[in-house]
Amino acid sequence: MNSADALDSARRGAGFLTPDEVAALAPDVLVLDPASVLVGRSVTIERGVVLYPGTVLEARRAGSLVVRAGARLGPGPVAVIADGSRVEIGRAELGPGPVTVVAIDVVSPGTVQDSPGAASADVVVGDGARLSGGCVVEGPAAIGDGAQVIGTVSVRDVVLGAGADRHHPDPDRRGAVVKGTGRIHGVRLGAGDVVVGRTAVSAVERQRDHHPEAPRFTDT
């Protein structure tokens, strides 16, 4: 068995597409370096997705992973793992910089999977959202449209409210933001909110506090 056959065999054994199968996703999916990209056989990738080198997409056990049309994963190593839970990536940006998204379903002893007492570890990332700069997102997590997780911060059990994307001139209209460093668990943020992780998590602030000169839009 030559090296190419051995690589194909190893990938198949681990549940991934071979490099040729990854390359064959084109032109619907733009894979910039098929040899460095790992795609699980049960993963769903819609048209128009861009996968940079070093991307890993894996669904284990009964987990499901869907990457919606227009998503961009990279530049930078991006790993998305759905282990017994559901991950859905909307038309979002994961990168630049390392990004890890993990949804691991853990069922308490004596609890039947999918019963009302079973905890969900699903992760949903909305359209226009951005994860970048070394962040780790652990399920359960709902990252709303336009929301952001920025920096070497680890979030879990969070709800980041939907809003406009980061390009909107009025920070009060933008999706919620978590940024900085450290662990941020259990927060619930609305549009225009921001939490900054440092050595300890700050109180919830308004993004406008960081952009006082930004224009203010009113409903008409």
Side-chain angles (χ1 to χ4, degrees):
M1 180 181 295
N2 62 37
S3 59
D5 290 339
L7 174 59
D8 289 351
S9 178
R11 287 209 184 192
R12 290 191 187 100
F16 292 104
L17 301 178
T18 67
D20 285 345
E21 289 171 330
V22 174
L25 296 173
D28 292 345
V29 178
L30 181 57
V31 185
L32 302 182
D33 182 17
S36 73
V37 171
L38 294 176
V39 177
R41 292 190 172 274
S42 63
V43 172
T44 299
I45 306 175
E46 295 185 348
R47 295 173 60 95
V49 170
V50 179
L51 303 179
Y52 279 78
T55 299
V56 177
L57 304 174
E58 183 178 7
R60 304 170 182 166
R61 296 188 290 165
S64 67
L65 170 53
V66 178
V67 184
R68 298 297 183 189
R72 180 177 293 266
L73 278 56
V78 173
V80 183
I81 311 297
D83 187 351
S85 294
R86 179 176 67 95
V87 177
E88 180 174 340
I89 307 296
R91 182 178 46 79
E93 296 180 25
L94 277 60
V99 173
T100 302
V101 177
V102 182
I104 301 178
D105 183 42
V106 178
V107 180
S108 300
T111 303
V112 178
Q113 185 99 18
D114 299 327
S115 73
S120 169
D122 295 349
V123 175
V124 177
V125 180
D127 293 344
R130 179 176 65 154
L131 314 179
S132 66
C135 68
V136 176
V137 175
E138 300 177 80
I143 313 297
D145 293 354
Q148 301 180 73
V149 182
I150 308 169
T152 55
V153 61
S154 173
V155 302
R156 185 178 69 205
D157 186 24
V158 297
V159 176
L160 306 188
D165 66 25
R166 68 185 188 279
H167 301 295
H168 195 285
D170 186 346
D172 291 328
R173 300 293 185 91
R174 299 173 191 162
V177 175
V178 172
K179 64 180 181 178
T181 63
R183 296 178 178 272
I184 297 179
H185 296 169
V187 299
R188 304 292 187 267
L189 304 180
D193 288 342
V194 57
V195 162
V196 181
R198 300 188 181 92
T199 53
V201 178
S202 71
V204 176
E205 302 174 89
R206 294 296 292 172
Q207 294 179 43
R208 175 167 295 281
D209 295 339
H210 298 263
H211 306 280
E213 303 302 322
R216 190 185 301 270
F217 288 68
T218 58
D219 295 324
T220 58

